[in-house]
Amino acid sequence: MLIKIKGSWELKENQITSLKDYISRRGFIKNAGIMGAASAASLMSSNLALAEESLSTVSNLYDGHDIMDEKTDIKAVRGYNNYYEFGMNKDNPARYAQSLVTDPWRVKVNGACENPGDYNVEDLIDFNALEDRVYRMRCVEAWSMVIPWIGVSLSEVISKLKPTSNAKYVYFETLADPKQMPGLSRGIIKWPYREGLRMDEAMHPLTIMAVGLYGEKLANQNGAPMRLVVPWKYGFKGVKSIVKISFLEKEPNTSWMRLAPQEYGFYANVNPNAPHPRWSQATERRIGDFRRRDTLMFNGYGEQVASLYSGMDLKRNY
Ligand SMILES: Nc1nc2c(c(=O)[nH]1)N[C@H]1C(S)=C(S)[C@@H](COP(=O)(O)O)O[C@H]1N2
Ligand SMILES: [Mo]
């Protein structure tokens, strides 16, 4: 059941160099054999105001669930984003997030755990144990992508922090720095961006803390240096550029719930049978496709996660 796909896509040499370079700079690979060439050139080309129609998909792959899904074009993954701290249009994050400083990066950990404190990313993520995870991502706005992430199971991060038995939820915050994030001047959301998971959801093997995608470190617009990915939930649960992790006894009040509780719930499980008050969730537009496709319950991960919600009314607990 645990998805662990190695080498499931072709890495270009400069991408390999870029990631290895990053990992080494983060202090985990002492063997300098593969490194050398700094690969700023392979960092993303930004400013991609992409016409959706021009987006194409590349290469088939096995996604670990007996379904052949095509990975979404890397230009779309990096050019069509939701990251409201950098603006509300889909091309704003790629344009405005380039100057975000992600190294060094400190993460505050507090609440019901034995190891609270201020951590560096490399204290939390074992860069020698990164895994490839190809996941569908379904935005609540009814579009979707397939993204080859690189990261570790969130459970591995959480184990290091040793939550106590009082910890029933884990809560995350994104950086909120008006000097670096032009979107903060707009008060759509009460910043910082806040998200959370029930502890059993957080410990589920499908839930990852991502640090890269398509063989490279995360682009800033995708949530560098580390962001949450919960593939059976709507994309907004995947909080980006995390600076705070708290272990809580009570369900946290997250950003989208706070903004419109009748539209966005805490669970946010992908559910074709629970329409958003203003649109249907029955179908979705896979970026790069012409035709809409049916949205799958739990985004197609029901076999793995449905048991987390047995006995719950998922229309009420949306
Ligand atoms: N901090 C922060 N995290 C965020 C968002 C945001 O606006 N701010 N948008 C969310 C939404 S709605 C989606 S669909 C995904 C998009 O991730 P991607 O741009 O890397 O594809 O990020 C989520 N995480
Ligand atoms: Mo989203």
Side-chain angles (χ1 to χ4, degrees), residues 22 26 102-103 105 121 127 210-212 218 223-227 241-242:
Y22 176 62
R26 287 289 188 183
T102 61
D103 188 9
W105 188 270
V121 176
F127 280 80
V211 297
L218 285 179
M226 61 176 211
R227 63 89 60 83
S241 308
I242 293 167

Side-chain angles (χ1 to χ4, degrees), residues 185-240:
S185 58
R186 293 223 213 159
I188 336 124
I189 287 176
K190 190 164 175 289
W191 312 107
Y193 192 100
R194 297 146 212 246
E195 260 308 336
L197 296 170
R198 220 169 55 187
M199 193 57 72
D200 58 342
E201 299 175 321
M203 297 302 285
H204 192 281
L206 285 181
T207 305
I208 61 169
M209 191 68 91
V211 297
L213 59 79
Y214 265 113
E216 292 190 59
K217 67 170 181 165
L218 285 179
N220 292 346
Q221 62 268 34
N222 293 115
M226 61 176 211
R227 63 89 60 83
L228 188 68
V229 178
V230 194
W232 70 95
K233 292 179 179 286
Y234 291 120
F236 69 82
K237 297 297 286 184
V239 45
K240 295 179 171 181

Side-chain angles (χ1 to χ4, degrees), residues 77 80-85 137-141 143 145 147 149 174-175 189 191 193 213 221-223 227 234-241 256:
V77 177
Y80 184 91
N81 300 99
N82 276 334
Y83 197 163
Y84 279 15
E85 288 86 335
M137 184 179 77
R138 170 62 156 78
C139 178
V140 75
E141 298 162 343
W143 54 266
M145 296 189 184
I147 303 180
W149 300 104
T174 297
L175 177 73
I189 287 176
W191 312 107
Y193 192 100
L213 59 79
Q221 62 268 34
N222 293 115
R227 63 89 60 83
Y234 291 120
F236 69 82
K237 297 297 286 184
V239 45
K240 295 179 171 181
S241 308
W256 290 101

Side-chain angles (χ1 to χ4, degrees), residues 8-121:
S8 61
W9 70 82
E10 302 268 302
L11 286 175
K12 291 203 205 83
E13 200 159 330
N14 64 343
Q15 293 178 330
I16 294 170
T17 310
S18 170
L19 186 69
K20 298 283 186 203
D21 187 50
Y22 176 62
I23 291 168
S24 113
R25 208 164 39 74
R26 287 289 188 183
F28 275 88
I29 290 187
K30 298 287 177 264
N31 172 4
I34 336 168
M35 276 86 65
S39 45
S42 71
L43 296 177
M44 59 281 156
S45 53
S46 56
N47 294 354
L48 299 164
L50 293 170
E52 286 170 13
E53 287 69 29
S54 76
L55 302 175
S56 60
T57 53
V58 289
S59 71
N60 275 307
L61 77 158
Y62 177 59
D63 77 348
H65 295 278
D66 297 325
I67 299 166
M68 296 295 285
D69 271 9
E70 291 185 337
K71 287 183 292 178
T72 302
D73 192 311
I74 191 169
K75 293 200 291 294
V77 177
R78 289 175 173 172
Y80 184 91
N81 300 99
N82 276 334
Y83 197 163
Y84 279 15
E85 288 86 335
F86 295 99
M88 293 180 65
N89 295 329
K90 293 290 186 281
D91 61 337
N92 288 161
R95 186 168 294 154
Y96 298 119
Q98 300 315 311
S99 53
L100 179 70
V101 177
T102 61
D103 188 9
W105 188 270
R106 303 287 280 175
V107 183
K108 183 180 282 300
V109 174
N110 63 18
C113 66
E114 287 175 29
N115 294 328
D118 280 311
Y119 290 86
N120 293 310
V121 176

Side-chain angles (χ1 to χ4, degrees), residues 91 101 125 133 159 235 240 270 273 276 280 295 312:
D91 61 337
V101 177
I125 308 272
R133 303 286 189 98
S159 311
K240 295 179 171 181
V270 174
N273 310 312
H276 185 280
S280 163
T295 288
M312 267 178 71

